[in-house]
């Protein structure tokens, strides 16, 4: 608790809670992936989650929109608690956008159909309105000319930007990013990070699992360092990189920087 | 200094440009091989057929198809005509039985296979294991054994008519006498018939369907503009139902359409024979020309016409030769073909014309209950919907056997869609049903379709096992025919043509569907 308090600036602390995890535990068989996570993400905050592989970062954010089911503790998203109630799950999923490492675009649909699918079928928007929003979003992620192509015809970076546009089309309050640049060629990483930076500047609440330290340092409001399913340190970027509190964080930083 | 350069390292331009001798020239060899193979195939076929024909001729059995219209003297166990008046009619009855078996088998095994495949993927332990047991048992027993097993089971059912004088003499048995019979003679249920007014009613159904489709389009267009939910199903269905109901009572008012068909009959019949031949020739040449044009178009890119390979030229020449061969066939080989086409076309319109103009009280459909005649189900006339034990054992054997393969194909197709697709759909807020309909199934279909098409071909070909239980399919009837008239080769020709047409039709449909589902990639 004390860690969280020191990292929260006064301004940040005064904001509304968007995601609140209390004592979240998760097992895969007899392997414990999450060992009791306490974490609060504030409105319009960008939280970057770091940690070695297998530390539970992905599992944590997949629990936030119920792609994984946590077994103990509570998760409250935008005032709605995640339980087995189908209506709650549907509500949260349509308000929380998620971007995957492997893009997961629908290969049988064109780019524009990928983006308009959920607004039309879940939000019951008119096709004309959904198309208008989709074209705006494609403009925003910088690939308006690719609208009629199929995902298989795009580069990895373009596909990931389509995936971001697809999530944004549902007008989410929160965006989750699960290693969005890890499957990309080096020269394509920056085009995706630029889109994410723009999104952060527009005031989106974001939880980002990434290995891009430059991005973390520049964009994050707070950094979370996880290991073995536990939160080791929560800190502001400045202190995290220059003056980390825990020894484990120091070791991690010395290995990657 | 040029002289110091070792001569072997300097490219010898003269040698580069010299044409290789023709026996080492790949371009020439390709052409030679193509032509030689073609000639060998044609020659072998020609040799074998002339040999067989002349041998048979020597034995006094000339091969022709004139016997088709001659008397059959055959009685079939079941079919559209059990006492056919010609051998051709007998074979046709066999073909219809085969097609019925194949069609019913394809529909039933698809439905059963999909259900079992989904059950195999289910999280429900019982459904999962039951489906697994079904698949592993049935696909590991030969289909012929299964058919014989079903035949043994079905023929051990009770008698249709109880002839035992001790109990109730000559009493109809069956769970519900007059409505439902299950016996060693087969299963019979009440059924609907297309009665006199059916074709007039069909006009109402088609018009109603077209209007319903149009309205559906309009509703969808409006929904595209304003969003929300719209009655895209209920309103068009109501329109269609209204047409069906009103048409049921007033169908004779469209009887006049029959006059149009009668006019078509006489117009078709007045086509001169040479006119039909010329039309066929022009059509053949036009088809070849169109094929060549589309072929060339497919080779053309914005950069211009790609360089054509020898294979490309060979294909184009082959298309032209095929057109010429067709013309030769129409003018020389089968001179009567043109008049046959004219006559059957005219017959078709006449047949259609006869279906209209039936009186004021022509009902579109009629219901009929099973009838029993001398201890057997009636073959003709207003009777129930009967599946004999012969048809039933074939049907059950084929369907259960093929369904076990289709189940595995369906399971594989759904598993082939990456888990990330489901997760992405879920993360976007799509419901499970929406995710399945919009994301998973469209992708699974593309994996499922080709092997599913193979199973459809297998069913169609496996119907020829009907001979094992004595069902009068095209093979059994054909055998009976050539045992009587010794026209073995001619019957084989009919069999081959029949199965080839069936298989090619199924392949064409599957390929068409598959092409529509294909995913565009770089």
């Amino acid at each position: 608790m004390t860690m969280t308090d020191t990292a929260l600036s006064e301004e940040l602390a005064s904001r509304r809670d968007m995601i609140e995890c209390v004592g979240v535990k998760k097992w895969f068989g007899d392997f414990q992936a999450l060992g009791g996570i306490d974490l609060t993400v504030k409105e319009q905050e960008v939280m970057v989650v770091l940690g070695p592989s297998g530390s539970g970062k992905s599992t944590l954010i997949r629990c936030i929109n119920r792609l994984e089911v946590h077994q103990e503790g509570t998760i409250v998203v935008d005032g709605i608690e995640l339980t087995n109630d189908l209506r709650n799950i549907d509500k949260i999923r349509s308000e929380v956008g998620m971007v995957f490492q492997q893009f997961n675009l629908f290969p049988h649909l064109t780019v524009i159909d990928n983006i308009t699918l959920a607004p039309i079928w879940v939000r019951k928007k008119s096709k004309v309105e959904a198309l208008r929003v989709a074209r705006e979003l494609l403009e925003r992620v910088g690939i308006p000319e690719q609208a009629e192509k199929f995902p298989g015809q795009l580069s990895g970076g373009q596909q990931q930007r389509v995936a971001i546009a697809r999530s944004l089309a549902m007008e989410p309050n929160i965006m989750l990013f699960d290693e969005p640049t890890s499957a990309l060629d080096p020269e394509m990483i920056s085009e995706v990070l630029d889109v994410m930076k723009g999104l952060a500047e527009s005031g989106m609440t974001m939880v980002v699992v990434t290995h891009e330290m430059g991005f973390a340092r520049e964009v994050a409001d707070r950094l979370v360092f996880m290991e073995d399913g536990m939160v080791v340190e929560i800190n502001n970027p400045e202190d995290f990189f220059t003056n980390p509190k825990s020894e484990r964080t120091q070791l991690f930083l010395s290995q990657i920087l | 200094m040029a002289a110091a350069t070792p001569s072997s390292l300097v490219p010898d331009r003269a040698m580069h440009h010299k044409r290789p001798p023709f026996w080492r020239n790949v371009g020439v060899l390709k052409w030679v091989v193509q032509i030689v193979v073609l000639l060998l195939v044609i020659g072998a076929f020609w040799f074998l057929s002339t040999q067989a024909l002349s041998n048979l001729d020597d034995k006094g059995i000339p091969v022709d198809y004139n016997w088709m219209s001659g008397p059959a003297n055959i009685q079939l166990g079941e079919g559209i005509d059990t006492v056919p008046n010609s051998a051709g009619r007998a074979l046709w009855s066999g073909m219809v039985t085969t097609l019925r078996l194949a069609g019913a088998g394809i529909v039933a095994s698809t439905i059963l296979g999909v259900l079992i495949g989904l059950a195999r993927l289910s999280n429900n332990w019982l459904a999962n294991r039951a489906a697994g047991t079904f698949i592993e048992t049935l696909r590991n027993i030969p289909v012929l054994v299964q058919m014989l097993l079903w035949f043994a089971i079905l023929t051990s059912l009770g008698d249709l008519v109880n002839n035992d004088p001790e109990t109730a003499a000559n009493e109809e048995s069956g769970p519900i006498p007059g409505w439902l019979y299950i016996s060693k003679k087969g299963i019979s249920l009440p059924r609907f018939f297309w009665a006199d007014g059916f074709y007039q009613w069909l006009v109402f159904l088609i018009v109603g369907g077209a209007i319903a489709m149009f309205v559906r389009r309009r509703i969808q267009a409006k929904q595209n503009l304003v969003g929300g939910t719209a009655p895209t199903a209920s309103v068009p269905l109501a329109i269609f139902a209204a047409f069906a109901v009103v048409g049921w009572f007033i169908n004779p008012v469209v009887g006049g359409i029959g006059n149009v068909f009668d006019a078509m009959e006489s117009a078709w019949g007045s086509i001169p024979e040479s006119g039909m031949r010329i039309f066929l020739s022009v059509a053949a040449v036009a088809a070849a020309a169109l094929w060549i044009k589309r072929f060339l178009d497919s080779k053309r890119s914005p950069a211009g016409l790609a360089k054509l390979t020898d294979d490309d030229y060979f294909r184009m020449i082959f298309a032209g030769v095929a057109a010429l061969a067709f013309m030769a066939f129409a003018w020389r080989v089968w001179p009567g073909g043109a008049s046959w086409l004219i006559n059957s076309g005219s017959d078709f319109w006449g047949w259609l014309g006869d279906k209209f103009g039936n009186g004021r009280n022509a009902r579109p459909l009629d219901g009929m209950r099973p009838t029993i005649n001398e201890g057997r189900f009636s073959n003709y006339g207003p009777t129930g919907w009967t599946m004999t034990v012969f048809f039933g054992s074939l049907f059950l054997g084929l369907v259960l056997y093929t369904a076990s393969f289709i189940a595995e194909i369906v399971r594989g197709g759904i598993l082939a869609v990456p888990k990330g697709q489901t997760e992405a759909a879920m993360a976007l807020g799509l419901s499970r049903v929406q995710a399945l309909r919009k994301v998973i199934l469209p992708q699974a279909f593309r994996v499922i379709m080709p092997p599913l098409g193979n199973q459809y071909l297998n069913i169609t070909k496996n119907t020829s096992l009907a001979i094992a239980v004595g069902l009068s399919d095209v093979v059994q009837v054909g055998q009976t025919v050539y045992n009587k008239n010794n026209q073995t080769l001619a019957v084989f020709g009919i069999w081959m043509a029949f199965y080839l047409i069936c298989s090619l039709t199924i392949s064409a449909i599957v390929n068409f569907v598959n092409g529509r589902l294909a995913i565009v990639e770089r």
Side-chain angles (χ1 to χ4, degrees), chain A residues 62 65 67 90 93-94 96 98 100 104-109 114 117-118 121-122 124-129 150 152-155 166-167 170, chain B residues 222-229 419-431 434 437-440 442-443 446 517 519-522:
Chain A
R62 286 163 64 84
N65 67 354
L67 288 182
D90 285 348
R93 278 181 179 160
S94 59
V96 178
M98 178 143 185
F100 299 87
N104 292 348
L105 292 178
F106 306 133
H108 60 299
L109 300 177
N114 260 280
L117 182 73
W121 289 95
V122 180
K124 306 290 181 197
K125 271 193 186 177
S126 75
K127 200 171 179 184
V128 173
E129 169 68 5
F150 284 88
Q153 296 170 300
L154 304 184
S155 73
R166 180 175 71 174
S167 296
M170 287 295 284
Chain B
K222 195 173 166 218
Q223 186 190 22
N224 287 347
L225 276 173
V226 298
T229 49
K419 203 166 162 254
Q421 293 289 312
T422 317
E423 288 183 350
M426 293 285 153
L428 284 169
L430 293 171
S431 70
Q434 284 173 334
R437 237 182 78 192
K438 299 280 160 192
V439 177
I440 310 302
Q443 294 183 61
R446 135 193 97 102
L517 293 174
I519 285 181
V520 180
E521 290 194 29
R522 193 188 300 262

Side-chain angles (χ1 to χ4, degrees), chain A residues 124-143:
Chain A
K124 306 290 181 197
K125 271 193 186 177
S126 75
K127 200 171 179 184
V128 173
E129 169 68 5
L131 281 173
R132 190 184 61 73
V133 172
R135 291 195 193 284
E136 262 176 35
L137 286 169
L138 280 178
E139 196 87 43
R140 196 162 149 199
V141 299
I143 40 173

